[in-house]
Amino acid sequence: VARAPRRWPAALCVTGALVVAVIAAGVTIAAQVAASAAERDASSALLADAARISSVFDAASRAAHLRADGIAATPMLRAALETDVGLRDLASSGMIGAARPGEALDVFQIRDGETAPVLHVPPRASSLPVLRGRDTLIQLAGTDVSLVASAPIAGYQANLVGGLVISTPVELAAIRRALAEHAVRASLHGIAGQPDGELVLTDEPAPRGAPPAADASADGDGDGDGTSPVTIAVASGGEWCAHGVTLEATPRRFAGLGWARPVRNMSGGLAVVLLLGFAFGFARRGRDRS
């Protein structure tokens, strides 16, 4: 007795194709959800970094102004600027005190609306801008940042006899480390005193062969393809006015679900194979009938 030819289980092929298609869709949705959650976390982290930057500059400004006000209120300094007695002995007398590491200090005298430098400490430091009254600005020198604060010096008889300008370094190491965890590049723009300057806080070189961030396009699989820079306003602090300072950062690419793409590709391939098997069996059945 001849055995009937074994026919391809068409129903099993269609069912299998539907199952793997559902698996592929589920993996894609899971990857997209994970990517969205990672993007929200990155945005929250960058917002916290911007708030931390404001706090750092506020603390540095507060400390610089406290030191400047303390020196400007020195009785011997006020008397020397008002009476011209002992101006040459300001540095040697110790009434100003020694400059701290990274610090620079300028004292100038005001006579008939004109300013004349009186003291520069330490001698090798760069000259500071002449600021009258109470003011604050930031100076950039590559990756180094200094905060410049001024204080007026009032005499005992006249209203204003001089001024003091002090420059202190701003410690941004902790900010740089935090930003390096959340962004591949981050910089401050619109800093007062440096309107065209850019303070780069972190800048990670792109891997060889990697496409530029601006040219990459997100494909929605959560594999971290395609990130664009974001701009965050930096709020003013108690002693420091931001004046439109912004943090521009390119968030790190989300590593994504490492298994998402292989599983999706395998599921899609298996679905194609099953559908081809169904088509082959259907065609073979048609030939057998004929």
Side-chain angles (χ1 to χ4, degrees), residues 64-75 151:
H65 278 292
L66 284 174
R67 179 154 168 76
D69 292 340
I71 298 175
T74 304

Coordinates of all heavy atoms in Angstrom, one line a residue, residues 64-75 151:
A64 N 33.7 85.0 47.6 CA 34.5 86.1 47.1 C 34.1 87.5 47.6 O 34.9 88.3 48.0 CB 34.5 86.1 45.6
H65 N 32.8 87.7 47.7 CA 32.3 89.0 48.1 C 32.6 89.2 49.6 O 32.9 90.3 50.1 CB 30.8 89.2 47.8 CG 30.6 89.7 46.4 ND1 30.9 90.9 46.0 CD2 30.0 89.0 45.4 CE1 30.6 91.1 44.7 NE2 30.0 89.9 44.3
L66 N 32.4 88.1 50.4 CA 32.7 88.2 51.8 C 34.2 88.6 52.1 O 34.5 89.4 52.9 CB 32.4 86.9 52.5 CG 30.9 86.6 52.8 CD1 30.7 85.2 53.3 CD2 30.3 87.6 53.7
R67 N 35.1 87.9 51.3 CA 36.5 88.2 51.5 C 36.8 89.7 51.0 O 37.6 90.4 51.6 CB 37.3 87.2 50.7 CG 38.8 87.5 50.8 CD 39.6 86.2 50.6 NE 41.0 86.5 50.4 CZ 41.9 86.8 51.3 NH1 41.5 86.9 52.6 NH2 43.2 87.0 51.0
A68 N 36.2 90.1 49.9 CA 36.5 91.4 49.4 C 35.9 92.5 50.3 O 36.6 93.5 50.6 CB 35.8 91.6 48.0
D69 N 34.7 92.3 50.9 CA 34.2 93.2 51.8 C 35.0 93.3 53.1 O 35.2 94.4 53.7 CB 32.7 92.8 52.2 CG 31.8 93.0 51.0 OD1 32.1 93.7 50.1 OD2 30.7 92.3 51.0
G70 N 35.5 92.1 53.5 CA 36.4 92.1 54.7 C 37.7 92.9 54.6 O 38.1 93.7 55.4
I71 N 38.3 92.8 53.4 CA 39.5 93.5 53.2 C 39.3 95.0 52.9 O 40.0 95.8 53.4 CB 40.3 92.9 51.9 CG1 40.7 91.5 52.2 CG2 41.5 93.7 51.6 CD1 41.3 90.8 51.0
A72 N 38.2 95.3 52.2 CA 37.8 96.7 52.0 C 37.5 97.5 53.2 O 37.6 98.7 53.3 CB 36.7 96.8 51.0
A73 N 37.1 96.8 54.3 CA 36.7 97.4 55.5 C 37.9 97.6 56.5 O 37.7 98.1 57.6 CB 35.6 96.6 56.2
T74 N 39.1 97.2 56.0 CA 40.3 97.3 56.9 C 40.5 98.8 57.2 O 40.7 99.6 56.3 CB 41.5 96.7 56.2 OG1 41.2 95.3 55.9 CG2 42.7 96.7 57.2
P75 N 40.6 99.2 58.5 CA 40.8 100.6 58.8 C 42.0 101.2 58.2 O 42.0 102.3 57.7 CB 40.8 100.6 60.3 CG 40.1 99.4 60.7 CD 40.4 98.4 59.7
A151 N 34.5 95.4 45.6 CA 34.0 96.0 46.8 C 34.4 97.5 46.8 O 35.6 97.7 46.6 CB 34.4 95.3 48.0

